Amino acid sequence: MNLKSMGSNYTSIELYLNDGVKAIKDQGRTIILQSGKELKSDITILSIGVRPENELAINAGLTLGERGGIAVNNHLQTEDQDIYAIGDVIEVKDYIQGTPAMIPLAWPANRQGRLAADHINGRKAEYKGTLGTSVAKVFELTVASTGNNEKSLKRLGVEYEALHIHPYSNASYYPGGSQLSIKMLFHPKTGEIFGAQAVGYKGVEKRIDVIATAIKGKLKVWDLADLELAYAPPYSSAKDPVNIAGYIAGNVVSGDLSLVHHHEIDEIVNNGGVLIDVREPEEREVGFISGSINIPLGELRERLKELPDEKHIYVNCQVGLRGYLAVKILTNNGIKASNLSGGYKTYALSK
């Protein structure tokens, strides 16, 4: 995948996905991938995770977790209660799921240091777990996340739903804004927020920080829609991206909206499912989902008779909004329908 597809100026950067490193030769100047492809480089940087420096704990006979982190209680004490451990070296508790985790980040380490000092001084201080809120700058892009991701939820067997949105960082008519992409994970029945990830050029970390605060405050998805966030055209829209995520997730939890996802839609269409693309014909000139039928949103009411009887209809637009409106038109006419989460944009970016 070339970063040019995300609007980056770094058109020479390519991502090789689902193709791991098999070997590194020539003192790091040649990388051989599992597929056999060879890449030449002046410098190779490995970023493959971290391991805790636990030698002292091993020598002291302290208990370690599955990934080598030092096991501590809620007061950050090891099994020897006269010994405290904090930071990247300890095994923490996932704040949301309560499961053991290794999350080496600066904020948790600093907070743990304060709490350990408080507990040593006789205060009832407890560390309640790590949420894992983080942010990184990747050239011009900002990438941020908080809470559980989809891979973790699948591994733990947790029931969840996901949504994808592509709102603007501020009012679209005000200069200087840009589109950002947000994925949020939540429980489809209770509305509990599990986590979120976002990428874009402006306003990314702000939205992730709001969602992180909502998780810490035990808010549910419909509470996001009710958050009164600062608004002026240079900074946001009257419905902030966080509000929009809350509206969509709330509709899903209440049963007012059914979603289908980018990794499911091809198989659905190949098996005979009906997918309606409600964008304008000229929008499809830059790409569309194979097998989709083009019925622009403005024509949908007049063309309902073209749809097959007694069949579930799937809908896509560019980013999801018109698809939602189409789903409401269909369901109000007694037709079962689902919207493609994030629209064609999410689908295209996943390829």
Side-chain angles (χ1 to χ4, degrees):
M1 182 175 73
N2 196 296
L3 291 188
K4 186 177 181 180
S5 65
M6 297 190 68
S8 172
N9 292 327
Y10 297 90
T11 56
S12 62
I13 297 174
E14 294 185 357
L15 304 178
Y16 294 88
L17 306 177
N18 300 314
D19 193 358
V21 175
K22 183 178 181 180
I24 299 177
K25 297 182 177 180
D26 303 329
Q27 295 180 323
R29 292 183 174 85
T30 301
I31 299 95
I32 302 174
L33 303 182
Q34 294 291 344
S35 63
K37 184 177 181 64
E38 290 192 8
L39 304 176
K40 299 293 184 179
S41 173
D42 293 329
I43 183 171
T44 299
I45 301 173
L46 295 178
S47 180
I48 53 178
V50 297
R51 292 181 179 177
E53 177 50 72
N54 56 17
E55 183 178 356
L56 181 61
I58 293 174
N59 293 337
L62 301 177
T63 299
L64 304 179
E66 183 178 344
R67 294 179 58 187
I70 302 172
V72 296
N73 62 18
N74 291 343
H75 305 299
L76 301 166
Q77 295 168 298
T78 66
E79 62 182 322
D80 183 334
Q81 296 199 353
D82 291 328
I83 301 176
Y84 290 74
I86 64 170
D88 297 355
V89 77
I90 69 171
E91 178 183 77
V92 297
K93 180 174 65 176
D94 181 297
Y95 179 81
I96 299 171
Q97 305 298 337
T99 53
M102 286 291 298
I103 308 176
L105 293 169
W107 185 92
N110 277 270
R111 181 61 176 155
Q112 291 157 15
R114 170 65 178 253
L115 293 174
D118 282 346
H119 193 260
I120 290 170
N121 280 278
R123 298 183 179 180
K124 294 181 180 180
E126 291 188 1
Y127 186 65
K128 298 178 181 179
T130 300
L131 190 55
T133 306
S134 61
V135 63
K137 183 175 177 61
V138 183
F139 300 107
E140 296 174 356
L141 285 169
T142 297
V143 182
S145 68
T146 188
N148 300 147
N149 58 30
E150 192 166 5
K151 182 178 180 180
S152 298
L153 294 172
K154 285 182 178 178
R155 176 173 52 83
L156 295 171
V158 176
E159 184 180 8
Y160 71 92
E161 180 59 280
L163 64 82
H164 303 77
I165 58 174
H166 304 281
Y168 274 83
S169 58
N170 49 264
S172 58
Y173 57 82
Y174 192 91
S178 61
Q179 201 169 39
L180 59 148
S181 298
I182 300 176
K183 177 179 181 179
M184 190 172 78
L185 302 146
F186 57 96
H187 195 287
K189 296 184 178 67
T190 68
E192 180 184 2
I193 306 166
F194 291 141
Q197 301 91 48
V199 59
Y201 295 96
K202 184 179 178 182
V204 173
E205 71 286 353
K206 168 186 174 180
R207 275 70 190 208
I208 289 298
D209 283 343
V210 171
I211 295 174
T213 303
I215 295 174
K216 281 281 188 174
K218 306 295 184 184
L219 301 187
K220 300 296 180 70
V221 293
W222 41 82
D223 294 313
L224 296 182
D226 203 37
L227 291 178
E228 186 177 344
L229 303 173
Y231 161 66
Y235 305 103
S236 180
S237 297
K239 289 194 293 288
D240 188 86
V242 173
N243 298 138
I244 294 172
Y247 281 122
I248 296 172
N251 286 338
V252 172
V253 175
S254 66
D256 293 330
L257 176 63
S258 170
L259 294 178
V260 65
H261 297 284
H262 62 88
H263 60 277
E264 302 170 322
I265 195 64
D266 283 337
E267 183 177 356
I268 288 172
V269 174
N270 291 338
N271 290 334
V274 178
L275 174 63
I276 299 174
D277 186 338
V278 297
R279 297 177 299 166
E280 296 300 316
E282 55 267 26
E283 293 180 83
R284 285 169 58 91
E285 294 177 4
V286 297
F288 60 90
I289 300 173
S290 179
S292 62
I293 302 167
N294 186 210
I295 303 180
L297 179 64
E299 303 175 13
L300 183 58
R301 286 186 175 88
E302 288 72 35
R303 298 176 62 179
L304 290 176
K305 291 182 179 179
E306 298 179 23
L307 303 179
D309 295 331
E310 305 298 325
K311 201 154 190 178
H312 195 110
I313 304 298
Y314 299 89
V315 180
N316 84 270
C317 63
Q318 183 64 19
V319 296
L321 176 58
R322 285 173 289 173
Y324 167 73
L325 298 176
V327 165
K328 298 309 292 182
I329 291 172
L330 294 171
T331 55
N332 287 341
N333 281 274
I335 302 171
K336 293 182 179 179
S338 298
N339 190 22
L340 178 62
S341 180
Y344 180 75
K345 185 176 182 68
T346 295
Y347 175 87
L349 288 173
S350 70
K351 298 302 179 182

